[in-house]
Amino acid sequence: MKKITLLLFLFALHHITYSQVISDKVSVEFKNANLRTVIQNIEETSYFKFYFDERWLESDSIAITKQFKEVRIAEVLDEVLQNTSFNFYISENKIILTNNSIIYNQLPDDYFGIPLEKDENGIAIAPIFYQQFDSLKRENTRNPNKNIRDIVLIGKEAKNQKKKTYILSGYIRGGKNREGLSNIIVKIPKTEFTTITDKNGYYKLQVPPGISIVETETFSYDKVSKKIMVYNDGTLNFSLIDNMNQLDEVLVKTNKNKNAKAAITGVTTIDSEGIKNVPLVLGERDILKVALTLPGIKTAGEGSSGYNVRGGKEDQNLFLLDHAVLYNPSHFFGFFTALNPYTTKKVDIYKGSIPAEFGGRLSSVFDISSKTGNFDKFEGEGGIGPATSNLMLSTPVIKGKSSLVVGGRASYSDWILKSLDDEKLKNSQASFYDIILKYNHKINTNNDIESTLYYSHDKFSVSSDSLYKYSNRLATLKWNHTFNEKNKGSLILTNSEYKFNIDYQSPGINSFDFGYKINETQLAAKMTYTYNEKHKFSYGISSKLYGVDPGYLNPKNPQSSLVPVDVETEKGLESALYVGDNFKISDKFLLDFGLRYSSFAALGKSTQRIYEQNLPISDATVIETKTYANNEIIKKYGGFEPRIAARYYLTNDFSVRASYDKTYQYIHLLSNNTTQSPTDIWKLSDLNVKPESAQQFSLGFYKNLNNDELELNLEGYYKNSKNILDYKVGADLLLNENIETELLQGEGKAYGIEVLLKKQEGRLNGWLGYTYSRSLIKLNSQFNEEKVNDGKYFSSNFDKPHDFSAVLNYRFTKRYSFSSNFIYQTGRPITYPIGTYDYGNAQYTVYSDRNKFRIPDYYRLDIGINIEGNHKIKKLAHSFWNISVYNVLGRNNPYSVFFVTDEGQIKAYKTSIFAIPIPSITYNFKF
């Protein structure tokens, strides 16, 4: 009996002691501690021990700063595990961590949200998805090729969950650069749960609790299926592999799904990766030069930096690089594009129906996107050519979360010029470079940011005493936010600047420095709302502030006879509000309509002339000079810009589209040249210069032929314009404080038919394009000095009725291919001298009507041989050689015609840019 009493006493003492030792309260403090450190601290300061899989903490990025004083261990764990996928179960001094799921010591009858059925023995039967989970366990036991870890656990299980669906979100990436993929279908097969990725590759999908299979669906990439066990809201990312059945000979493409489903007309997408086989001058891969081979897009001449789209002037095109305006997209007078081909992803060109989110230009939008960096590994790409070299490097900053792209490009023309025998050319300069940085950061599934910095610089002085310099600079910051599965938005801040400078070194005392600058800053908010399957709304607001320094001239020598000039600066505020709806009326009929309202306010500080009405604008008709204070409104303009487009399927592979657009433009490019020049200046609308406006009607037919192997597009358009800027004969534009006295504003009209036949697959691929178009302008007035060609319509400087292009590539093997590029264009208009007359003992020249004649037609053939390196997977770098000949026929295409008087006779001479074949070899590499 004594022994039994003693044993009971010892047992009670042990139980009391143990209960005191195993107190469920702890005192711990954490400072920026990760989860592993938290576990170690709790174990060191208490008698609790943790049990878990060490692999769960391999990507432990949590940072906890917290102090607990005599707090129950369950409360401590609830707080530190709140933002993780871990749950816990406490048994005496043991803490068992579970990933996603919860350990139950008993199951209440209503735990699953439904009454539990019981079998004949009175044992509760688990809900169906737990039966599925158990059956999968048994299936994996029977089949050794499967593993339960193939199931992806989604979300963190919580007690008393009663939701019928949860949100699964994530990113889908693919391609060589592992970029976000748009228009990828994500779905649970044989259910209503389906969605599609946005342009950044992000998706949100409603999913039921329990076990499901989620799969992707796309033509371009292999299908990926994943089994998931859904406990709560969570993330699931996909990495897709190129579908090897799709050949990569595609050179230029309009997204196939987009082409079949979209309502808008006149939109084309050019992928930078797909144009590497197109032979171009000096072997430079140039995404905008390839655009010139497409119907409706022209340039006034070889080496011209401007683009004319559907009869529009050079300044009527909006060039955007990652949402910021790029004022001069060319290097060296248009011979090269100011874009690094290895950092440029693609360009979407809108020349027919322009979406309501874009505005400020009449003719087109070139929406250029740079590449997103690789989030997982370091990689690079580059090229070495006869005149330029390019390099692109991409690296993850925080693996899986952020990436950085750095690109650089430079010419070595200076070195080439100095190696020539001609002394004049030896002392010349001609060089350029551009650099770009792009940073992407995924904050979480609902937020990400991207930022781009870009700078380009040109300088040249060819057999001249003047050194010309011009540069572009832009910066963008974009925040993308997903409010829910239906609402998404972006907040965008951009800044752009373009400036040029002429440094004139005179042998005498009249050296001077002349310069010009334009700067704009814009803030925009863009939203999308998917109401249902029939309606997808887009809406937004934007505002940009212009600052224009029209020019200055500073003599370098105090003894100079030149007078310093500093033209008064200009300021303007352009704002817009838009809303659009993509309305799916039926499977055959789709509407895309939008309404945009834009406004512009010319702002002071400024001095404006007021001219007498019903008289020509000149120095003689000034009646008042008015002064405006800083930021005072000088003049306001604005108007509605409706946009509507429709698509109707006549058959499964034959559709018709129509569209109507109205646009306003409040900024104008002033130039004395036939083509755009780096020293042209931009002018804001003000009291005496009205904004330009245009209306365009388009109609197109789109047919797929030969089992979708061929695509045939036929589009027609008609456009009329008002207040188009032109100039009086002999206009003086530079450093003119009263520039309105040199300007004319008239009407314009343009119309045309465009045909495009594309073959994207097979050994022979490419496209044929033909355009018949006219571009006319009318400058009429009640005053003779403001009339041109008697006030009748006449051809604009870039009116080229016939334009044909053929870009073809033939692949002999997977490594060797042959490319060719043929272009034919009608010669552009020109004004000729047609006679002379004597007056007051002097002889004068008589000129024809403006643009009555044409220079000779233009045609050119380029050829190239493309050699890809071997396709071994494990190698230092993959290479690609391009051997090409530009203008292989040696055609002496005239760029311009000029006239001189020689011994009393007027003689015409033509100038050419490349009058001989230009061979080049370019080496491209990727690692």
Side-chain angles (χ1 to χ4, degrees), residues 129 132 149 152 238 246 278 309 361 420 478 503 519 538 549 561 607 632 647 655 677 687 689 699 796 905:
F129 60 81
Q132 294 174 347
R149 282 178 294 181
V152 181
F238 290 85
Q246 182 183 10
V278 181
V309 179
R361 300 293 189 275
L420 300 176
K478 182 182 180 184
D503 185 3
N519 184 283
S538 60
D549 183 352
S561 59
T607 301
E632 182 181 357
R647 179 225 67 202
S655 65
S677 163
L687 198 62
V689 179
L699 178 66
S796 65
Q905 292 185 339

Side-chain angles (χ1 to χ4, degrees), residues 112 114 133 176 187 349 413 537 580 638 653 659 756 765 841:
F112 295 105
I114 57 175
F133 190 70
K176 295 179 180 179
K187 65 181 182 179
I349 304 173
S413 311
F537 295 98
D653 58 359
S659 67
L756 180 65
N765 55 83
N841 298 323

Side-chain angles (χ1 to χ4, degrees), residues 79-320:
E79 188 151 348
V80 298
L81 298 178
Q82 182 178 2
N83 296 320
T84 73
S85 62
F86 298 120
N87 279 307
F88 63 91
Y89 178 78
I90 303 175
S91 176
E92 296 181 342
N93 69 327
K94 301 180 182 66
I95 300 175
I96 302 169
L97 296 184
T98 59
N99 202 357
N100 305 94
S101 59
I102 292 177
I103 296 177
Y104 293 91
N105 55 7
Q106 64 179 18
L107 294 178
D109 288 346
D110 63 345
Y111 169 72
F112 295 105
I114 57 175
L116 292 181
E117 296 182 12
K118 297 184 179 181
D119 60 16
E120 63 276 9
N121 298 318
I123 300 175
I125 301 174
I128 184 65
F129 60 81
Y130 276 94
Q131 295 179 42
Q132 294 174 347
F133 190 70
D134 185 60
S135 66
L136 282 168
K137 288 183 180 179
R138 294 195 300 270
E139 181 184 352
N140 281 285
T141 302
R142 293 192 299 266
N143 188 348
N145 295 323
K146 295 187 177 181
N147 194 297
I148 195 65
R149 282 178 294 181
D150 292 338
I151 299 177
V152 181
L153 305 179
I154 303 297
K156 179 179 179 178
E157 187 178 4
K159 293 183 178 180
N160 302 319
Q161 296 182 128
K162 295 183 179 180
K163 293 176 65 175
K164 294 182 178 179
T165 61
Y166 295 100
I167 300 298
L168 180 68
S169 58
Y171 289 90
I172 297 184
R173 304 193 180 277
K176 295 179 180 179
N177 296 315
R178 316 313 298 162
E179 296 178 334
L181 303 176
S182 61
N183 298 319
I184 305 296
I185 296 173
V186 187
K187 65 181 182 179
I188 297 178
K190 299 180 181 180
T191 71
E192 62 181 5
F193 301 110
T194 183
T195 188
I196 190 170
T197 59
D198 63 15
K199 62 182 179 180
N200 298 312
Y202 178 76
Y203 76 92
K204 273 197 170 185
L205 176 69
Q206 285 189 329
V207 293
I211 289 180
S212 300
I213 294 178
V214 177
E215 67 180 28
T216 64
E217 185 177 299
T218 173
F219 176 77
S220 304
Y221 297 87
D222 286 340
K223 179 189 292 185
V224 174
S225 298
K226 292 186 179 184
K227 296 176 184 176
I228 60 172
M229 178 67 185
V230 178
Y231 294 105
N232 211 319
D233 297 342
T235 62
L236 180 64
N237 297 325
F238 290 85
S239 182
L240 304 188
I241 299 174
D242 292 342
N243 186 340
M244 301 313 294
N245 292 322
Q246 182 183 10
L247 304 180
D248 71 5
E249 291 100 340
V250 180
L251 300 176
V252 169
K253 62 182 180 181
T254 300
N255 182 288
K256 186 172 182 180
N257 291 331
K258 192 174 183 180
N259 188 54
K261 297 178 180 179
I264 57 178
T265 63
V267 58
T268 301
T269 296
I270 304 177
D271 190 295
S272 180
E273 185 68 22
I275 64 170
K276 62 183 181 181
N277 293 331
V278 181
L280 296 169
V281 61
L282 297 175
E284 179 85 0
R285 188 190 302 181
D286 197 321
I287 197 168
L288 294 184
K289 292 300 180 186
V290 171
L292 292 173
T293 66
L294 298 174
I297 306 174
K298 305 178 184 180
T299 185
E302 193 171 46
S304 171
S305 61
Y307 294 81
N308 306 110
V309 179
R310 289 192 169 180
K313 295 177 63 179
E314 291 90 344
D315 64 338
Q316 293 176 0
N317 309 303
L318 180 63
F319 287 90
L320 299 174

Side-chain angles (χ1 to χ4, degrees), residues 320-324 367-371 436 438 450-452 474 476-477 492 494:
L320 299 174
L321 176 57
D322 289 347
H323 311 287
D367 189 12
I368 306 164
S369 303
S370 58
K371 291 180 179 178
I436 185 170
K438 184 175 183 179
E450 60 183 71
S451 179
T452 302
L474 63 84
T476 71
L477 180 62
I492 306 168
T494 69

Side-chain angles (χ1 to χ4, degrees), residues 235-503:
T235 62
L236 180 64
N237 297 325
F238 290 85
S239 182
L240 304 188
I241 299 174
D242 292 342
N243 186 340
M244 301 313 294
N245 292 322
Q246 182 183 10
L247 304 180
D248 71 5
E249 291 100 340
V250 180
L251 300 176
V252 169
K253 62 182 180 181
T254 300
N255 182 288
K256 186 172 182 180
N257 291 331
K258 192 174 183 180
N259 188 54
K261 297 178 180 179
I264 57 178
T265 63
V267 58
T268 301
T269 296
I270 304 177
D271 190 295
S272 180
E273 185 68 22
I275 64 170
K276 62 183 181 181
N277 293 331
V278 181
L280 296 169
V281 61
L282 297 175
E284 179 85 0
R285 188 190 302 181
D286 197 321
I287 197 168
L288 294 184
K289 292 300 180 186
V290 171
L292 292 173
T293 66
L294 298 174
I297 306 174
K298 305 178 184 180
T299 185
E302 193 171 46
S304 171
S305 61
Y307 294 81
N308 306 110
V309 179
R310 289 192 169 180
K313 295 177 63 179
E314 291 90 344
D315 64 338
Q316 293 176 0
N317 309 303
L318 180 63
F319 287 90
L320 299 174
L321 176 57
D322 289 347
H323 311 287
V325 175
L326 183 63
Y327 275 93
N328 191 337
S330 300
H331 281 308
F332 199 58
F333 295 102
F335 292 122
F336 303 95
T337 296
L339 299 170
N340 188 322
Y342 299 102
T343 61
T344 303
K345 180 182 179 182
K346 66 183 178 70
V347 56
D348 294 321
I349 304 173
Y350 300 93
K351 55 188 173 74
S353 180
I354 299 176
E357 66 177 285
F358 299 113
R361 300 293 189 275
L362 300 187
S363 292
S364 72
V365 176
F366 287 70
D367 189 12
I368 306 164
S369 303
S370 58
K371 291 180 179 178
T372 300
N374 195 312
F375 287 82
D376 301 315
K377 64 180 181 179
F378 176 78
E379 63 182 14
E381 189 174 3
I384 302 173
T388 63
S389 287
N390 307 269
L391 182 64
M392 182 276 289
L393 299 175
S394 170
T395 183
V397 179
I398 302 174
K399 193 169 183 179
K401 294 196 66 175
S402 61
S403 67
L404 178 67
V405 171
V406 180
R409 176 166 170 249
S411 70
Y412 21 84
S413 311
D414 277 346
W415 176 81
I416 296 175
L417 289 171
K418 294 184 185 302
S419 64
L420 300 176
D421 293 332
D422 192 310
E423 288 298 324
K424 290 183 178 180
L425 293 177
K426 240 181 205 184
N427 297 324
S428 299
Q429 299 181 54
S431 64
F432 61 81
Y433 66 87
D434 55 69
I435 55 176
I436 185 170
L437 291 89
K438 184 175 183 179
Y439 177 75
N440 288 79
H441 187 90
K442 296 184 293 185
I443 301 173
N444 51 42
T445 56
N446 292 330
N447 297 276
D448 66 84
I449 59 172
E450 60 183 71
S451 179
T452 302
L453 298 174
Y454 169 85
Y455 181 77
S456 72
H457 184 269
D458 282 67
K459 67 176 182 179
F460 59 92
S461 175
V462 181
S463 301
S464 170
D465 295 325
S466 299
L467 179 63
Y468 294 80
K469 302 177 184 177
Y470 62 94
S471 64
N472 291 283
R473 188 206 69 203
L474 63 84
T476 71
L477 180 62
K478 182 182 180 184
W479 171 35
N480 301 308
H481 177 69
T482 299
F483 297 92
N484 50 51
E485 64 271 17
K486 291 188 174 184
N487 290 277
K488 300 174 184 178
S490 299
L491 186 64
I492 306 168
L493 177 64
T494 69
N495 178 264
S496 300
E497 181 183 88
Y498 175 72
K499 63 181 180 180
F500 68 80
N501 175 267
I502 301 175
D503 185 3

Side-chain angles (χ1 to χ4, degrees), residues 302 856-860 887-894 910 912 914-917:
E302 193 171 46
D857 292 350
Y858 178 98
Y859 65 84
R860 190 188 79 241
N887 192 17
V888 68
L889 300 178
R891 163 74 171 171
N892 188 9
N893 287 302
K910 64 180 181 180
S912 299
F914 296 109
I916 60 174

